[in-house]
Amino acid sequence: MDWPPQSPDLYITKAVWDHLDTEWRKRVKTEVQAGPLYRVLGSPLSITCSVSGFRSENTDKHFEFRMTKPSNPDFEIQIISSHEDTFGYSSHLSRVRKNEITLKRLSPNSVRFEIKSLQKTDEGEYECTAVNLEGAYDGEYSAKTVVKVIEDSLSVSSSASTPLSLNEGEALTLTCLASSSTSQHTHLSVAWYLHKDGQEDAQPIISLNRDFTLSPGQGFERRYQAGLIRLDKWGEASYSLKMAEVEPSDQGRIYCQAQEWIQDPDGSWYIIIQKNAEEMTLTVKATGWNFTQSSQPAALQEGQELMLSCNINTQDVEKRFFSVAWLKGSVELARIGPTGVLTVAPEYSVRQKNGELRAARSGNRDYRLILKPVRTEDQGEYICTVWPQERGQDDTFIEGEPKDSKEFVSRKVKVMRPSTDNFTLAVNVAEGGGLHLFCKVDGVQGQLSVTWQHKSTSTAPFTEIISINEEGVTEIAEEFVSRKVRVMRPSTDNFTLVLDEVTLSDSGVYRCAVSERITNGKTHTQTQTTTVTVISIDTLMGVSLISRKTRVIVGEKLELMCRVKGPHMPVTVTWSVQREAKTPDTILTLSPDGTISWSADQNHYQLRVESRKTEVMYYLLVIGTSHREGGSYQCNVSVLLKNVHKELKASNQLSVIVINPGTASCSHLGASLNRKSHFFPVSSENNENVVSFSSKQTIVSLDRNSIVTESQVDLRQRISMRRSKGPTFELIIWQARISDKGLYTCKVGEWLQDPRGEWYLLSTKYITSSSYFYFLAPNLRLDKKEQQLTAKEGDEVKLNCSITSGASGSLFQVTWFWQKEIETKQRPIFTVYRNSTLQDRFGENVRLRYDHPDPSQFSLTFLNPGPDNSGLYFCEVEEWLPSLSRGWRKVAVEKSGHFNVSVLTEGRHVLTHLVISLIDFICQLCMLPVWLFSTLKWQSARKNISATCNVVDPVASPLAPP
């Protein structure tokens, strides 16, 4: 706007014109959260975007969100808009329509962009744009922030998940393991929760926040102050809950919850992941009554108030009577009787009259003793004793067994002045690391102020670092304004100095000065000093480069490992390689935030980082090594200190040699010999039926793509060749003949593809073997002899299955069959498979024992047979041989002779033999010149006994019909 205005109708002063000009030129500014924002895969993401400077402050502004991915930073992806439903690209539009990605208005000038569940592809740079509807542009209408999506590494587990039942007053200890292996700087908070039956939400028992401050949950404050509930941290990842005396109200499901926090660049803390451990169900049985004692506070100054409380826990407390007494050491101070009457020891009667000692019952459960003002002679140990009282028929009380609070908690009351106490008198810290100094104050009652000071040498004066006054206002010395320094106050009596990214000049003596203003206006100040030594990172850091092999064949993978030992801190790692006598070439640079700057073709490399307790491993994987990858490798480590890169360590130089691959070898794996035979490529210098893969006698040929290029005419219908893993080349002859026996030769030509994609013939070889292929017909033979086995009931009966011959390398499957009567079917009763698996199919309360004394013997023994087990038995054997193309194959099946088993009850055995002997005698008398088959049967009251006599004329022809 130019002065003077061109319109003659406009009457305005120069001052007013300048004011309007200033208002018109107000700049528009758009802001989002500063990045990078580290968020966990699967967790929500929210980005707040606000704009200022528009003339219409109360009108709703429209916003648009876009992003670019690290893999393609020049391509913008539209995500969501507040004024256009179809704004997003297809990759995000479906998620917007499912409300997985939303844009919520917070005010006319601000919105919140949200992704409910982050995906790895959501990593990138996000841009928020405020839509300008005013015509002219003057200011910043968009703002950007970077989002990093990291893996979920939070692990939470509990020591107990099985239900637990305790009696009222017993102790409970539970342990929770919570840890995170993320490379980012995060804090953990851990809390224990109780979820009671019938309640919608769980209630916290006690929690340890990210700044190590303990806080009891609502309803647990009294027991926490009395020391009956604790949360202790052991080591790096163990958090234990200790409840000295459980109460019936503690019944429910108890679990621990861990939250992982990260500090965003704007200084705010954000929960990136939250997980619960397994629940433990606790049942508390009410056993009678108990009580707890507490005092507030445990350390006092002269003139303050001491209050001791006893709380009785029992059911129907209003219907019961108790006497409560307080003792200091062995001296009783005061007692409240079952009817509420107070009696005081003589030495405290004067203080009672002066109102310095008071004791009373508050409600049915709480009993309190108050001493005010407290004196120096009042310090010591106080206990509470409680007696149950039963009212008799004459209204007199009968005193029961007392309970002493020493069984539960003891309180030592101290009267003292404030003093400070550092946990350590000397501290060593690594350069670039964080310094934490603790200052604890005892006997706090008034307002506190604290000042941290430093001096570099013992003779130099102290200079102030940071201070907090009584109102909590923090002041930082000018020298430390640009430094990351702060004071944390986990509790009222603890102050922690935190100084990040320390340098060597931060060594020296540190002093904590705490001042307290008490009621009379006086101020007490106490100090404590600590010596701090900052150790140069060069002396703590170690870098070495190793590899499992330094001679690599062309085309193989090469893995190099850069091991960085020392304190965990953000470092920059650079990989380089020197070829011949040239200047080293940089391959890549890995920044602390995970950003990779490539100087080489990244398609040939992969990078992996593995963090351990005492070291970090940086792996560089070279894919498809060529001769160009040969050379001397090195990794360099640097750290950013005060915005300046400091070179820390360079590893050793590791020489890598790339060689051509060796030639292939060919081995004889065997053949399966039956109607289809597999002949693996072998060769021999013998001349019996040698089939060569030469140009004159080629049987079949494959090219490098496993395509058949030629085959012998007379074998074309029966021959094939294929390639399998290994690589293995199989020559298959179908319907093998005797004429196919002999020695076979394979000719191997090895082709290699270099990393540039070109194929070349590396070598050609004839592979020689002395193996000779011949055919064996299955030759399985079993014992065919028929056997008569007779045994008494309960005696052992053994059925032997003997193999008299079989092929070498065979495995056998044996099955025993039983035929109960002649007309019944044969059924299997027991099988031994070739892999030694046993299957018992008898299932009739018969105990069996299987034995395999040698490779050709198999036996099955009946340990407790009965008459019902009589009948005909035999075994069937299957012979199996290995086939390299089809695995194991069955080549033969044979059956043994029959076992005629008779199992007799006691008393019938002799009679049976008499009958059999009589039949034998009759058979000897039958000397007829013809074939005679006769059967004699003897009927008993319970079973049939049968015998058969075959009478043969020795003159008759053996071919005569029966």
Side-chain angles (χ1 to χ4, degrees), residues 136 165 428 555 681 830 894 949 960:
S165 179
N428 293 332
F830 193 90
E894 287 288 331
C949 173

Side-chain angles (χ1 to χ4, degrees), residues 679-706:
F679 297 90
F680 286 78
V682 296
S683 65
S684 174
E685 296 181 355
N686 204 330
N687 59 4
E688 181 184 359
N689 226 2
V690 173
V691 181
S692 174
F693 286 82
S694 65
S695 59
K696 293 182 180 180
Q697 295 180 322
T698 298
I699 298 175
V700 65
S701 294
L702 297 180
D703 63 10
R704 67 171 185 266
N705 297 316
S706 299

Side-chain angles (χ1 to χ4, degrees), residues 12 18 57 75 185 188 290 310 421 443 510 529 534 569 634 670 681 736 759 778 801 819:
I12 189 170
D18 291 339
E57 287 293 328
F75 178 67
H185 177 71
L188 292 184
N290 57 46
C310 281
D421 178 26
Y510 288 77
T529 59
V534 180
M569 58 189 310
Q634 192 174 42
W759 289 94
C801 190
Q819 184 176 347

Side-chain angles (χ1 to χ4, degrees), residues 28-30 51 54 128-134 136-143:
V28 175
K29 186 174 184 181
T30 306
V51 66
F54 277 110
C128 172
T129 301
V131 179
N132 180 21
L133 301 177
E134 294 184 345
Y137 285 85
D138 189 9
E140 298 174 355
Y141 293 85
S142 65

Side-chain angles (χ1 to χ4, degrees), residues 878-881 888-893:
E878 297 178 3
E879 182 180 11
W880 293 72
L881 283 171
W888 287 88
R889 299 193 306 109
K890 181 168 63 176
V891 297
V893 178

Side-chain angles (χ1 to χ4, degrees), residues 595-614:
T595 304
I596 302 177
S597 299
W598 290 95
S599 300
D601 185 356
Q602 65 185 82
N603 293 325
H604 293 290
Y605 302 93
Q606 288 182 359
L607 192 64
R608 179 166 58 92
V609 181
E610 183 179 311
S611 181
R612 302 173 182 174
K613 286 186 177 180
T614 59

